[in-house]
Amino acid sequence: MTFFEDLKWRGLVKDVSSPKVEELLNNGGVTFYIGTDPTGDSLHIGHFSSFLIASRLKKAGHNPILLIGGATGQIGDPKPTAERAMITKEAVQANVDSLTRQVKKIFGFEIVNNYDWSKDVNFIDYLRDYGKYFPINYMLDKDIIRRRLDAGITYTEFSYMIMQALDFLWLYQNKNCIMQVAGQDQWGNITAGIDLIRKKTGKEAYGMTMPLITKKDGTKFGKTEGNAIWLDINKTSAYEMYQFFINTEDDMVIDYLKKLTFLSREEIEDLEKLHLEVPEKRIAHKKLAEEVITFLHGHEEYEHALKISE
């Protein structure tokens, strides 16, 4: 099984911008980026699968860059239903600093902040050098924009797509970054960046999205009564995380093992067989908890959480 076939078996491929993506991922050596806006001072478990796929690509010989949106975080990616609340510049910077420390500790990726290259772009240059490449009809055709038209969307949110496309262009030109990887809700922003690179440089860049991880009813994974399961152990203890995974829906636990662990196909299929034979023992759930907590916080914290639980 090739690397790309493994990603598909795990359910980690939703869209690709070109058939060439499969070849690129199988061959290794691709510099790619994945981004997050600093809307909080910690990542949560919903982010984990996205960042874990970057770790998978790194293990397969690719070069990941994590972009933390110190600039885009001050604007806010359009939500499907309403405009995001603005957070202060000071809060954004505090979150950038916190996320940078967290990601370095957990994943060890190269980290960039889009504020570094966005802060010097003045409004006239923004319109002349970037805005002219985005026809209004093109932007209106993007799914997230189209869904917001009836409820209303501000020019600020409307511009987010251009800012993210600028990020991809900057990384392409300065870091030899030829691919963006993200959740499926970012497809419109990814293709905008690909189009901008092609129009400005005449060259091709690539994108891949993965399905968002959800519960059986379609709600976001990692949300319990409105509270996220944080990757910061000071916000969500290893014990709390263990309990979260132990109580995962039976119908979803194998899916989460595929997406949230580095266990092989054979190991996961063996766990699936045991899960179907003796579901009351929650063997798959316990393994899921062990793998994620050990990856994030180390084996000692996992053992501590297990001892408390027992």
Side-chain angles (χ1 to χ4, degrees):
M1 184 163 56
T2 67
F3 176 64
F4 190 78
E5 287 170 343
D6 181 68
L7 292 179
K8 292 189 73 174
W9 174 78
R10 292 177 184 274
L12 291 170
V13 179
K14 176 67 169 65
D15 295 297
V16 294
S17 63
S18 164
K20 194 174 179 181
V21 169
E22 180 173 355
E23 177 187 349
L24 288 168
L25 292 180
N26 284 336
N27 290 340
V30 170
T31 297
F32 68 97
Y33 91 95
I34 184 167
T36 187
D37 280 342
T39 54
D41 61 2
S42 170
L43 300 174
H44 56 70
I45 203 71
H47 294 115
F48 185 54
S49 67
S50 300
F51 284 69
L52 203 63
I53 198 173
S55 290
R56 294 184 200 281
L57 267 64
K58 185 175 182 179
K59 284 178 176 289
H62 302 288
N63 177 37
I65 298 173
L66 169 65
L67 183 148
I68 297 179
T72 43
Q74 297 184 37
I75 302 304
D77 195 3
K79 293 170 65 177
T81 54
E83 187 168 7
R84 294 180 187 272
M86 286 281 189
I87 57 178
T88 66
K89 292 181 180 180
E90 293 75 18
V92 170
Q93 185 57 51
N95 289 343
V96 167
D97 294 340
S98 182
L99 292 181
T100 298
R101 289 190 297 269
Q102 185 178 58
V103 171
K104 281 184 177 178
K105 180 180 179 181
I106 296 175
F107 298 99
F109 298 156
E110 177 184 0
I111 299 171
V112 296
N113 180 351
N114 62 12
Y115 184 77
D116 292 339
W117 58 81
S118 300
K119 67 180 187 299
D120 296 325
V121 179
N122 66 49
F123 186 63
I124 294 174
D125 290 342
Y126 171 77
L127 293 177
R128 287 177 56 88
D129 295 341
Y130 308 107
K132 69 177 182 177
Y133 291 102
F134 290 86
I136 293 296
N137 288 345
Y138 171 88
M139 298 177 77
L140 291 175
D141 193 47
K142 299 298 183 182
D143 181 60
I144 192 68
I145 301 296
R146 190 168 58 247
R147 284 188 285 164
R148 281 290 303 281
L149 290 180
D150 290 338
I153 185 169
T154 65
Y155 179 77
T156 298
E157 290 183 293
F158 198 57
S159 301
Y160 185 94
M161 180 190 301
I162 301 177
M163 292 186 69
Q164 188 165 318
L166 191 164
D167 292 342
F168 200 173
L169 175 65
W170 191 92
L171 290 169
Y172 183 90
Q173 293 176 323
N174 293 275
K175 295 284 188 178
N176 194 32
C177 175
I178 65 168
M179 185 180 297
Q180 183 179 358
V181 176
Q184 67 184 68
D185 57 339
Q186 294 297 309
W187 180 245
N189 291 327
I190 290 176
T191 54
I194 291 171
D195 290 343
L196 180 62
I197 289 168
R198 184 175 63 252
K199 291 172 182 177
K200 293 279 284 186
T201 71
K203 297 179 181 179
E204 188 173 6
Y206 307 90
M208 183 183 83
T209 65
M210 65 205 84
L212 299 178
I213 293 190
T214 63
K215 299 177 184 177
K216 189 177 180 180
D217 63 3
T219 57
K220 286 186 177 181
F221 179 76
K223 299 287 187 179
T224 55
E225 299 177 355
N227 297 313
I229 303 299
W230 301 102
L231 304 194
D232 185 340
I233 199 167
N234 296 311
K235 294 167 74 76
T236 298
S237 69
Y239 167 74
E240 291 171 315
M241 187 172 286
Y242 184 89
Q243 291 301 312
F244 172 77
F245 285 117
I246 283 295
N247 289 295
T248 292
E249 297 162 298
D250 288 353
D251 290 346
M252 301 300 292
V253 67
I254 301 302
D255 185 58
Y256 297 156
L257 279 167
K258 291 178 180 179
K259 294 176 179 177
L260 299 177
T261 77
F262 287 103
L263 295 175
S264 68
R265 180 170 183 169
E266 292 75 17
E267 289 172 310
I268 292 173
E269 288 176 346
D270 287 344
L271 285 166
E272 184 174 20
K273 183 179 179 182
L274 289 170
H275 175 60
L276 293 174
E277 290 175 352
V278 284
E280 69 279 3
K281 291 188 176 181
R282 308 193 80 70
I283 296 171
H285 298 72
K286 292 175 182 178
K287 190 61 177 176
L288 175 63
E290 178 185 357
E291 291 295 312
V292 176
I293 294 170
T294 301
F295 182 91
L296 290 172
H297 305 308
H299 189 71
E300 186 176 338
E301 283 293 340
Y302 163 71
E303 291 287 350
H304 182 60
L306 180 62
K307 184 177 180 181
I308 296 172
S309 299
E310 290 179 345

